Amino acid sequence: MNRAAPAKINLSLRVLGRRTDGFHELETLMAPLALADEVSVEAADAFSFACSDPSLPADDSNLAVRAARLFCLRGRREASLALRLEKRVPHGAGLGGGSSDAAATLLLLNDFFQAGRTRAQLAEMAAELGSDVPFFIWESPAWCRGRGEIVEPTTLATDAEILLLKPPFAVPTPSAYAAWRDARELPGVPYGPQASPWGPLVNDLERPVFEKHLLLPAMKRWLLAQPECEAALMSGSGSTMWALLRVAADGAALAARARGEFGDQLWTCATRLSGRV
Ligand code: C5P
């Protein structure tokens, strides 16, 4: 039995303030993408976990493993299963890969064991695993509030093409939030809301992350100057920048030009938003 674990982008991410528990109060519009990892499960004598990406931990620090253990613990079930994760979404990228793997594992095990938990119950479990995990339980674009765990599904026009560009470094999420309050805007870099079919596109984490990783604002400015690109924004806490392509624009040509400009180490992926499943 298997299940897709889609990546996400943030169409809008506003940080409203720092909370006393160390988290930040958010208001963010997130949308799942067609780009996805895949989680699969089979019955086995004992628990095992295998991942196609050897650079990821295969022990209990992997969020998919933690999700499987939590699901079995809550249902008082033996974790007698072989879990496998096929990675396609880069990590440390602001694309929610690890969170989505965890949510897909909960959804998959709910089916596998025919456990009959509702999405609301799974979302509650998901919130114990990370702020972004409940979003992926709903399998829909959504407004997320609180530290991210209060999810309000919404519908969006999904016929737009998106180009993802990730340089060969990761941004640790805690460092982006920690630098948010004192961060300044770099001169000449556009941070303001950009018009789009989904409302204004803006990301308050660009300020702290751009200050530290100067390639990212350079990529944003470069993207905005390309004829194929209607808007460009960082996703989550980075390091992925995403471009909203104009209707009938050649995404492959833009991706090739971006690799020419920023180096062959740049990971690119042409994808689309994915609507309610
Ligand atoms: O919830 P999650 O484990 O994904 O969060 C990772 C880290 O990101 C937190 O420990 C915190 O430093 C930061 N964070 C935050 N505010 C949020 C979400 C995450 O400060 N709303």
Side-chain angles (χ1 to χ4, degrees), residues 63-157:
L63 220 46
V65 175
R66 288 177 49 204
R69 296 232 185 260
L70 182 65
F71 188 89
C72 291
L73 184 74
R74 286 296 141 79
R76 295 189 180 84
R77 286 184 175 83
E78 283 287 318
S80 308
L81 44 93
L83 195 67
R84 195 182 153 74
L85 176 57
E86 194 68 37
K87 280 304 282 184
R88 293 186 204 106
V89 180
H91 44 97
L95 298 173
S99 300
S100 185
D101 297 340
T105 301
L106 295 178
L107 289 161
L108 181 65
L109 295 190
N110 196 40
D111 288 347
F112 181 72
F113 289 117
Q114 299 184 332
R117 298 217 182 227
T118 63
R119 277 193 208 265
Q121 287 171 328
L122 293 172
E124 216 169 284
M125 226 185 268
E128 294 181 38
L129 296 164
S131 305
D132 277 355
V133 186
F135 160 75
F136 289 104
I137 294 291
W138 295 96
E139 299 187 284
S140 166
W143 282 100
C144 302
R145 298 185 175 86
R147 63 181 169 92
E149 87 286 17
I150 303 168
V151 183
E152 183 193 331
T154 184
T155 47
L156 295 175

Side-chain angles (χ1 to χ4, degrees), residues 22-26 99 129-132 146-148 173-174 177:
F23 284 90
H24 289 75
E25 195 68 16
L26 298 183
S99 300
L129 296 164
S131 305
D132 277 355
R147 63 181 169 92
T173 303
Y177 280 104

Side-chain angles (χ1 to χ4, degrees), residues 5-273:
K8 59 83 178 164
I9 52 172
N10 301 73
L11 303 177
S12 169
L13 192 167
R14 306 247 65 159
V15 181
L16 306 179
R18 186 146 191 269
R19 310 186 341 179
T20 49
D21 62 2
F23 284 90
H24 289 75
E25 195 68 16
L26 298 183
E27 184 171 63
T28 179
L29 177 60
M30 302 211 277
L33 300 175
L35 168 69
D37 292 340
E38 189 175 281
V39 188
S40 58
V41 66
E42 275 176 29
D45 293 336
F47 183 79
S48 69
F49 176 70
C51 178
S52 63
D53 182 346
S55 71
L56 285 181
D59 59 13
D60 282 17
S61 64
N62 190 301
L63 220 46
V65 175
R66 288 177 49 204
R69 296 232 185 260
L70 182 65
F71 188 89
C72 291
L73 184 74
R74 286 296 141 79
R76 295 189 180 84
R77 286 184 175 83
E78 283 287 318
S80 308
L81 44 93
L83 195 67
R84 195 182 153 74
L85 176 57
E86 194 68 37
K87 280 304 282 184
R88 293 186 204 106
V89 180
H91 44 97
L95 298 173
S99 300
S100 185
D101 297 340
T105 301
L106 295 178
L107 289 161
L108 181 65
L109 295 190
N110 196 40
D111 288 347
F112 181 72
F113 289 117
Q114 299 184 332
R117 298 217 182 227
T118 63
R119 277 193 208 265
Q121 287 171 328
L122 293 172
E124 216 169 284
M125 226 185 268
E128 294 181 38
L129 296 164
S131 305
D132 277 355
V133 186
F135 160 75
F136 289 104
I137 294 291
W138 295 96
E139 299 187 284
S140 166
W143 282 100
C144 302
R145 298 185 175 86
R147 63 181 169 92
E149 87 286 17
I150 303 168
V151 183
E152 183 193 331
T154 184
T155 47
L156 295 175
T158 55
D159 54 349
E161 240 194 286
I162 303 289
L163 182 67
L164 306 173
L165 305 107
K166 184 194 165 286
F169 57 84
V171 176
T173 303
S175 71
Y177 280 104
W180 165 76
R181 201 175 37 187
D182 298 325
R184 303 244 175 93
E185 295 196 349
L186 300 168
V189 178
Y191 293 86
Q194 302 167 62
S196 87
W198 314 298
L201 309 177
V202 65
N203 184 343
D204 285 345
L205 291 178
E206 284 186 340
R207 266 183 301 124
V209 176
F210 282 8
E211 265 190 327
K212 191 152 175 220
H213 302 283
L214 295 174
L215 181 63
L216 298 178
M219 283 172 65
K220 183 172 186 178
R221 290 178 55 172
W222 182 86
L223 280 169
L224 289 172
Q226 305 307 304
E228 296 90 348
C229 180
E230 189 161 327
L233 199 72
M234 189 176 77
S235 185
S237 54
S239 59
T240 300
M241 302 297 299
W242 63 272
L244 167 61
L245 302 188
R246 293 188 196 283
V247 176
D250 185 345
L254 178 58
R257 211 178 319 126
R259 286 193 297 272
E261 184 74 17
F262 298 104
D264 276 339
Q265 298 260 66
L266 187 73
W267 173 85
T268 63
C269 175
T271 187
R272 316 184 74 80
L273 297 195

